[in-house]
Amino acid sequence: EDLTIFRNIIQHCGLQMPAEIPAQLTNEIAFGGIVLGDTVNARIQENRVEDNGKVTGKPVCGVYLRYGEQIEISGNTIIRNGLPLVTRDQTVQRGVRAGIMIRMGFKTADLKNVLTSTVPSFDGVPAISIHDNVVEQPLGHALYGTAFGPVSVVNNQFTSLGADRTNPQSTLASTVFLFDLGVSKDFVVTMIKSMANKSPAANQQYLNDPAARQLVTGLQYLPSGKLIFSDNQVTLDMRSPAINLSVSSILVLSLDDIAFNNNQSECAGYLSLVANDISFDLVILNSLIIGASVRTNDNRFMEGVTLALYSLLSYGLMNTALGNQSTHCLLTLGTLRSVADNLVLNSALCNDKQLQYAKALSVPMG
């Protein structure tokens, strides 16, 4: 509680790890530079976490938090923790790998007070705040986080040197994986509108139920899922002998609003043209953004020689994509959409593909 880890140099730890981790514990046991179980008001600031766990094929983290409330990670350099793949057939041990991994970050609330008081019990501190860090992960996510509350990820450099093929979530999003379970207050408005379409007697009967009243009150005071991911440089660097196959480099999900603005996201693949050994790296999507409302504005999506299908796929009930620049097509889907002033380098068939996918998903196109 009230933990501060400040201006340390943490190097060459985690060099003696077990030969084998029991299968039932592979997602529970972590090794690395900073490994914490349960924390409240933790601040990890201006540390150098480098060259830890440099054992071939072993799972290693730079910073790992199993559970935390109101976490701040800022100004750190977290690099070279673990080893990258050197050959295609290299043995990789299943386990927890990431530059920064937060299994669950929570926005603290007095739940008893929530259900018995009309006064909100939250302060302005986010569940997770990750600012001004340099993170390079040799294998697996540079950033992995699950949260229940507001999240702010601003002005970082995240680099992953390849997907962890033992972890499906790393294949789903190789560099950044963020999932916020906080609830949008617009859902409460939707519930009220739904009640308005019913008869007064039906609404009165519903609200006479104490459990129903607690549900409506609780939804208003649950932590929001507002997530900002802005001014970050993100690189999935696959220029190694190993072939990288990923669904996306960045995956951001929330039940609330997502601001994904002013980022530079690059998938740097390698095309081998050696005789009888032509190989390539595949990333279906550079970035996948899904939320109740989404804004992906003023970003640059780059794929280079990487075999990619789309630079961005975003979905929100309200969805805005303005002023982006991309190598491949942008798929911006939702009920209410605003798309303008985007520049696509390889734009052939972009509009046709977007309409085709929208029709398949039965999404009205503006």
Side-chain angles (χ1 to χ4, degrees):
E1 188 171 351
D2 295 324
L3 170 69
T4 298
I5 302 175
F6 181 61
R7 286 190 177 176
N8 300 282
I9 298 175
I10 303 173
Q11 296 176 316
H12 310 299
C13 301
L15 300 181
Q16 296 180 349
M17 291 188 285
E20 190 171 335
I21 300 174
Q24 67 272 22
L25 297 178
T26 53
N27 293 324
E28 300 296 331
I29 295 178
F31 303 91
I34 298 174
V35 178
L36 300 171
D38 296 348
T39 62
V40 178
N41 295 328
R43 296 173 179 84
I44 301 174
Q45 302 170 326
E46 299 183 30
N47 301 282
R48 288 172 52 193
V49 184
E50 306 171 350
D51 300 308
N52 298 290
K54 303 198 78 171
V55 182
T56 301
K58 297 295 185 180
V60 177
C61 292
V63 175
Y64 174 86
L65 285 78
R66 186 173 66 88
Y67 174 86
E69 298 179 4
Q70 301 181 168
I71 303 161
E72 178 188 342
I73 301 175
S74 61
N76 302 282
T77 298
I78 304 169
I79 59 176
R80 299 188 303 270
N81 297 291
L83 290 174
L85 291 177
V86 178
T87 63
R88 297 180 187 178
D89 56 353
Q90 181 177 331
T91 300
V92 177
Q93 188 177 40
R94 182 179 175 84
V96 178
R97 286 183 178 87
I100 298 173
M101 176 172 284
I102 303 172
R103 284 290 190 193
M104 175 54 73
F106 197 81
K107 175 64 177 174
T108 309
D110 184 347
L111 294 180
K112 181 178 179 181
N113 188 45
V114 161
L115 298 177
T116 58
S117 172
T118 59
V119 180
S121 59
F122 297 100
D123 54 27
V125 182
I128 299 175
S129 175
I130 300 177
H131 293 176
D132 304 305
N133 301 283
V134 177
V135 184
E136 182 230 62
Q137 179 64 10
L139 185 63
H141 298 104
L143 171 64
Y144 178 100
T146 305
F148 190 53
V151 172
S152 177
V153 181
V154 177
N155 197 35
N156 302 278
Q157 289 182 305
F158 298 120
T159 302
S160 171
L161 302 186
D164 175 9
R165 60 194 181 210
T166 69
N167 181 1
Q169 290 176 317
S170 181
T171 302
L172 183 62
S174 296
T175 311
V176 173
F177 181 103
L178 290 172
F179 185 21
D180 200 322
L181 297 165
V183 180
S184 170
K185 301 305 177 288
D186 285 346
F187 289 152
V188 180
V189 176
T190 302
M191 177 180 290
I192 293 173
K193 286 184 176 180
S194 176
M195 292 173 60
N197 293 328
K198 298 179 181 179
S199 67
N203 286 333
Q204 186 62 45
Q205 182 180 1
Y206 175 78
L207 292 176
N208 283 339
D209 183 357
R213 290 200 300 272
Q214 285 192 345
L215 174 63
V216 174
T217 303
L219 283 174
Q220 294 181 73
Y221 293 145
L222 282 175
S224 74
K226 294 180 293 186
L227 193 155
I228 181 170
F229 189 93
S230 296
D231 299 300
N232 300 291
Q233 292 181 320
V234 181
T235 303
L236 175 57
D237 192 340
M238 302 169 287
R239 294 171 293 180
S240 67
I243 297 175
N244 197 90
L245 302 175
S246 300
V247 175
S248 68
S249 173
I250 301 173
L251 173 60
V252 180
L253 305 172
S254 178
L255 301 178
D256 203 333
D257 179 67
I258 298 175
F260 188 93
N261 303 318
N262 298 303
N263 301 291
Q264 294 173 314
S265 178
E266 180 179 8
C267 298
Y270 176 72
L271 178 61
S272 174
L273 299 177
V274 178
N276 300 322
D277 188 27
I278 298 176
S279 61
F280 51 84
D281 297 302
L282 170 63
V283 179
I284 298 175
L285 308 164
N286 184 316
S287 299
L288 175 58
I289 316 297
I290 301 175
S293 56
V294 174
R295 291 175 312 289
T296 53
N297 303 329
D298 301 308
N299 300 286
R300 177 64 168 104
F301 303 101
M302 298 166 279
E303 290 84 49
V305 299
T306 305
L307 183 60
L309 297 182
Y310 303 100
S311 290
L312 169 70
L313 192 158
S314 64
Y315 178 84
L317 300 178
M318 295 188 293
N319 194 357
T320 303
L322 305 175
N324 298 288
Q325 297 178 344
S326 66
T327 305
H328 295 90
C329 300
L330 308 175
L331 289 178
T332 307
L333 307 176
T335 306
L336 301 174
R337 299 167 55 253
S338 177
V339 181
D341 300 322
N342 297 295
L343 299 178
V344 180
L345 186 61
N346 299 326
S347 59
L349 301 177
C350 280
N351 292 333
D352 291 341
K353 288 181 180 179
Q354 190 171 27
L355 290 171
Q356 180 182 352
Y357 274 85
K359 184 178 180 180
L361 295 170
S362 299
V363 177
M365 302 292 290

